[in-house]
Amino acid sequence: MIALRLARRELRGGLKGFRVFLACLALGVAAIAGVGSVRVSLQEGLAREGAVILGGDAEMSFTYRFADDDERAFMASISQAVSETVDFRSMAVVDRDLVERGLTQVRGVDAAWPLYGAAGLEPPMAVADALAIRDLPGAIMAPLLADRLALSVGDTFRLGTQDFELRAILVDEPDGASSGFGLGPRTIVSLEGLAGSGLLEPGTLFESQYRLRAPGADLAALEMQAQAFEETGARWRDARNGAPGVARFVERIGSFLVLVGLAGLAVGGVGVSAAVRAYLEGKIATIATLKTLGAEGRVIFAVYFIQVGVLTVVGIAMGLVLGALAPIAFGPLIEARLPVPVAIGVYPGPLLEAALYGGLTALIFTLWPLARTEQVRAAALFRDVSGGAGWPRPLFLFIIAGLVAVLVGAAVWLSGVPTLALGTAAGLIFALALLAGSAWGIRALARRASRARFARGRTALRTALGAVGGPGSEAGSVVLSLGLGLAVLAAVGQIDTNLRNSIQSDLPEVAPSYFFVDIQPDQLAEFLERVEGDPAVSRVDTAPMLRGIITQINGQRAADVAGDHWVIRGDRGLTYMDGPPPPEEIVAGEWWPEGYDGPPLIAFAAEEAGEMGIRLGDTITMNVLGRDITGTIAALREVSFENARIGFVVTMNAAALAGAPHTHIATVYAEEAAEAQLLRDVAGAAPNITAIRVRDALDQVAEALRGIAQATSYAASATLLTGFVVLIGAAAAGERGRVFEAAVLKTLGASRATILSSFALRAGLLGAAAGLVAIAVGAIGGWAVMTFVMESDYRFEPFSALAIVIGGALATLISGLVFAWKPLASRPARVLRARE
């Protein structure tokens, strides 16, 4: 085949002109492959160590109660051993001159805990020794809480009405990842030691968990058998998905980072396109010669398509190797930063995904310049024309559009978050279109400015503006490559700052000081007397609180109707009301009259009802304390969780829950200076009441968001690095033109300082322009995410935007000056003779 033979001969000349092509493609593919490999490594680690993470091969859990005799008998029949634990929040109290209190997540364990893995304690000892009852029951405490309360091994603290001796510091909790998000550090005590604490009274909020040792068992079959206990409120988990919350988080954040990596690949695509275009411009004479010798356009297209295809395979291979090796190289660091096991290795899935994205991107961005080779005419051999300046044939435009659709479809299918993938694709296409339009506008503006009055007499400025606006300008490459990279970084900065402001600044102004939970009905009056009589307290809200599991919707399994919606994923808080709420909260339907004692009625949160497909008149079955209560949806209610007030997805009429043991929850709004005394008084009068300081909870959320923002910033930085590579490639490609320009300027009497100033001004102007456009694109992206994804307010953050502009100007200035020395050192006579 003639095209293949010609392509092979040209490739023998080496890879000069394709270094940027290979670097851009390799970096983009490596970023996606690396993120995907880490995600799969985490998923494999969760799967392999599922039993250790969960604390057993399977788990049955209950809310508000312990398992009954039938449930215990079933668990014993399907397992070799059963470990019983209980989990709840409480206050750890240290009696000193000034009483110290700290919120803690308490776990009561039996003698069999842990079934799998081992607890790491300091000083090293057996769990049984650490928790043994001597003069006092023993306890194990997380180091953060021990430091906060200034406790050392051997000191005494109190949970409820029971004193405990701190025997060891918790270094490693083997099944801690399966417990999900906790508002306080961990304290572990024995179930026997908890018996005298008064913390597990009827109606108190706690969860009992039964871990089963059943090695080699058919977990799917056991799950089917356990469904017989769903009606009593039992929930099943097993080692196939030991930490579902962690698994979902890993999947979502991994998918999001892959999408950010696609933005980097789009930046690399700009560099790939520029590299191919620059290479083909240097081949104009060769193409014209082939045309003169009778070569058809399709043969010439095939020659360079084969070359680019071979180099694409090389670039993707380089990226895959780098992306596969990076997680292995940083494996110890990754494992040290994560609370779950990671099975670092080479996995074909993410590598194939990255290769697919890389191949499609290379095709999309190279077809345009390759298609224009057909437009080069034989006359280009004898005239100083470049040829191929028009649009490709409609066939190629159709193919490019089809490839874009395939790339977007692949991202939607493989990401697992289709809405986010579609939004990212739309955002990238919009950003590229806006950047391309901005590059055209910058060129037109610079062209007009070079002829303006203010530029007269300023040689360096005028030549810089003329170069930006003239033919062969680098504006397109710089604005597209650097602008898109900076735009991603700007969007991440805007989102991060707005989230921090929303959590740390906005919410505390309207959020309560404390959530008080586990208030027994006979304690409510005394509690209200204390808080409502305090002049520093501006508002108190209370509500009865129970927890239950939605088991059925319209007589069908809830999961079959609502899928994996978060409302049915576990137990949910519910309350009861007799009188109606404010009229503006009732979205649809009618509230039951006061004193209603007919069949159970339910008011459901309107937004969640729409997401789950629930309508007025539907029936909901909830298991509360082992008892099924089926109610009819009588009203849809507006429930907002953003303001940190009391909110329940499910509200029932009071008679429906009559006689059910329950506690009350309260939110108290107080002046910050009065919070400490308020906590001392309430906890001193009722040790069983748990206080959750809202500011501390918000700090934990902010800390988690900081980790996400940091991971996203790393991915955005990789995008920016790719953009900088493209920028260097554009500067290198334009070096030949600047050599000729410098020779002409020297001939006309310009000094080296003037020429250098012109080059520096050109680079700085282009970088600043790219930064300004990136700010606009990033601000739009940040607004879209905050408004439509986070459903929060958006405020433009100027400081990170200013850093983006300065960074863009410096990046182009540095790359421009690096490639300015050769033009400055060139001799005009030699350069001009070579052009004769």
Side-chain angles (χ1 to χ4, degrees), residues 35 249 253-254 256-258 260-261 337 492 496 704-718:
V35 170
F249 175 78
I253 192 64
F256 177 70
L257 291 178
V258 166
V260 175
R337 297 282 301 245
V492 171
D496 180 41
L705 289 173
R706 277 193 288 272
I708 296 172
Q710 187 177 38
T712 309
S713 297
Y714 290 153
S717 299

Side-chain angles (χ1 to χ4, degrees), residues 575-579 592-601 627 629 651-660:
T575 189
Y576 60 82
M577 291 178 65
D578 197 6
W592 46 87
E594 289 192 32
Y596 173 80
D597 61 356
L601 296 177
R627 171 192 166 199
I629 302 175
T651 303
M652 289 187 173
N653 64 296
L657 297 171

Side-chain angles (χ1 to χ4, degrees), residues 99-370:
V99 177
E100 302 276 356
R101 291 178 175 83
L103 180 67
T104 179
Q105 197 76 27
V106 181
R107 166 174 277 183
V109 303
D110 63 4
W113 183 85
L115 289 179
Y116 288 102
L121 306 182
E122 183 60 42
M125 65 176 67
V127 171
D129 293 335
L131 302 183
I133 297 178
R134 297 167 189 163
D135 293 335
L136 292 173
I140 302 166
M141 186 176 284
L144 178 62
L145 183 60
D147 291 343
R148 187 179 298 167
L149 298 177
L151 287 172
S152 300
V153 172
D155 290 344
T156 301
F157 67 95
R158 187 168 66 254
L159 293 174
T161 58
Q162 176 66 58
D163 289 334
F164 291 85
E165 179 187 347
L166 180 61
R167 302 254 176 83
I169 300 298
L170 182 63
V171 178
D172 179 43
E173 184 181 10
D175 53 354
S178 67
S179 301
F181 181 76
L183 291 174
R186 175 69 74 190
T187 298
I188 299 176
V189 296
S190 67
L191 287 172
E192 190 178 359
L194 276 176
S197 67
L199 295 175
L200 299 178
E201 298 298 321
T204 302
L205 177 59
F206 69 89
E207 182 178 85
S208 61
Q209 301 159 335
Y210 297 82
R211 274 67 184 273
L212 315 179
R213 183 195 292 274
D218 185 345
L219 296 177
L222 293 182
E223 183 179 14
M224 292 292 292
Q225 296 179 45
Q227 286 181 4
F229 296 93
E230 280 187 351
E231 295 182 357
T232 66
R235 288 165 306 181
W236 174 273
R237 282 197 298 173
D238 57 54
R240 294 173 297 173
N241 190 9
V246 175
R248 279 192 298 270
F249 175 78
V250 168
E251 182 179 358
R252 293 302 174 92
I253 192 64
S255 299
F256 177 70
L257 291 178
V258 166
L259 294 175
V260 175
L262 279 176
L265 200 53
V267 175
V270 175
V272 164
S273 180
V276 172
R277 186 170 59 252
Y279 176 76
L280 293 175
E281 285 177 356
K283 293 292 183 179
I284 292 294
T286 302
I287 297 171
T289 301
L290 291 172
K291 284 283 186 76
T292 304
L293 296 174
E296 297 179 357
R298 60 183 178 83
V299 174
I300 295 172
F301 172 83
V303 169
Y304 293 101
F305 183 81
I306 292 170
Q307 291 184 54
V308 170
V310 170
L311 292 169
T312 297
V313 172
V314 173
I316 290 175
M318 292 168 58
L320 294 179
V321 171
L322 185 60
L325 293 179
I328 296 175
F330 293 100
L333 179 62
I334 294 171
E335 291 175 347
R337 297 282 301 245
L338 294 172
V340 294
V342 185
I344 297 293
V346 178
Y347 299 97
L351 300 183
L352 290 173
E353 183 179 349
L356 174 64
Y357 288 144
L360 288 172
T361 302
L363 270 173
I364 290 167
F365 282 93
T366 58
L367 269 181
W368 188 294
L370 285 172

Side-chain angles (χ1 to χ4, degrees), residues 374-678:
E374 295 183 335
Q375 300 169 6
V376 177
R377 302 187 181 278
L381 186 61
F382 309 104
R383 300 177 186 171
D384 189 18
V385 294
S386 60
W391 285 56
R393 286 190 291 130
L395 173 63
F396 289 104
L397 296 177
F398 177 77
I399 293 173
I400 291 171
L403 290 170
V404 170
V406 171
L407 179 60
V408 172
V412 170
W413 179 46
L414 294 172
S415 68
V417 279
T419 304
L420 181 60
L422 282 173
T424 302
L428 282 174
I429 293 171
F430 171 77
L432 286 171
L434 184 60
L435 289 167
S438 300
W440 177 86
I442 290 167
R443 291 183 61 181
L445 187 62
R447 194 160 48 245
R448 294 192 64 176
S450 67
R451 298 191 291 267
R453 182 177 298 177
F454 73 87
R456 294 175 185 174
R458 296 180 173 88
T459 305
L461 177 61
R462 189 168 187 178
T463 53
L465 291 171
V468 171
S473 169
E474 301 168 2
S477 295
V478 171
V479 172
L480 279 173
S481 59
L482 187 62
L484 188 55
L486 290 174
V488 174
L489 204 60
V492 171
Q494 292 290 321
I495 294 167
D496 180 41
T497 302
N498 274 272
L499 283 174
R500 291 171 189 265
N501 289 340
S502 179
I503 291 172
Q504 296 178 350
S505 300
D506 298 338
L507 276 178
E509 295 178 3
V510 298
S513 303
Y514 286 106
F515 277 97
F516 288 98
V517 299
D518 291 337
I519 306 171
Q520 294 292 332
D522 59 357
Q523 296 173 323
L524 183 60
E526 184 180 354
F527 171 83
L528 289 175
E529 181 181 355
R530 165 59 185 88
V531 296
E532 290 179 343
D534 192 332
V537 175
S538 59
R539 175 176 175 176
V540 180
D541 295 328
T542 66
M545 181 178 179
L546 300 89
R547 295 192 75 83
I549 302 171
I550 298 178
T551 57
Q552 293 184 353
I553 300 174
N554 292 327
Q556 303 178 55
R557 288 186 71 234
D560 295 338
V561 177
D564 192 37
H565 196 278
W566 66 269
V567 170
I568 66 167
R569 205 173 288 152
D571 61 287
R572 288 289 146 240
L574 70 148
T575 189
Y576 60 82
M577 291 178 65
D578 197 6
E584 62 271 14
E585 290 187 13
I586 302 176
V587 176
E590 295 183 3
W591 205 268
W592 46 87
E594 289 192 32
Y596 173 80
D597 61 356
L601 296 177
I602 295 174
F604 208 87
E607 182 177 349
E608 284 68 24
E611 295 169 353
M612 298 168 64
I614 294 173
R615 296 181 295 273
L616 293 174
D618 289 350
T619 60
I620 300 289
T621 300
M622 292 198 72
N623 185 277
V624 182
L625 294 171
R627 171 192 166 199
D628 281 340
I629 302 175
T630 300
T632 303
I633 304 294
L636 298 179
R637 181 185 180 191
E638 185 66 39
V639 178
S640 175
F641 298 100
E642 287 83 1
N643 53 19
R645 296 178 184 173
I646 297 176
F648 293 92
V649 174
V650 177
T651 303
M652 289 187 173
N653 64 296
L657 297 171
H662 66 278
T663 57
H664 290 259
I665 184 173
T667 56
V668 177
Y669 298 73
E671 296 174 6
E672 187 171 357
E675 289 179 357
Q677 185 60 46
L678 177 66

Side-chain angles (χ1 to χ4, degrees), residues 752-836:
R752 288 192 175 190
T754 301
I755 297 171
L756 183 61
S757 298
S758 174
F759 290 165
L761 281 170
R762 179 192 315 180
L765 287 171
L766 283 175
L772 288 171
V773 177
I775 289 172
V777 175
I780 294 171
W783 167 81
V785 171
M786 291 302 299
T787 302
F788 300 109
V789 179
M790 302 297 180
E791 297 183 357
S792 181
D793 294 332
Y794 171 78
R795 287 183 295 179
F796 179 73
E797 199 284 307
F799 296 105
S800 64
L802 181 63
I804 291 292
V805 175
I806 295 173
L810 286 175
T812 50
L813 182 62
I814 292 170
S815 63
L817 291 179
V818 166
F819 290 94
W821 300 116
K822 184 176 179 180
L824 288 175
S826 62
R827 296 184 178 182
R830 181 179 299 172
V831 174
L832 296 176
R833 283 197 197 102
R835 289 295 185 101
E836 292 181 355

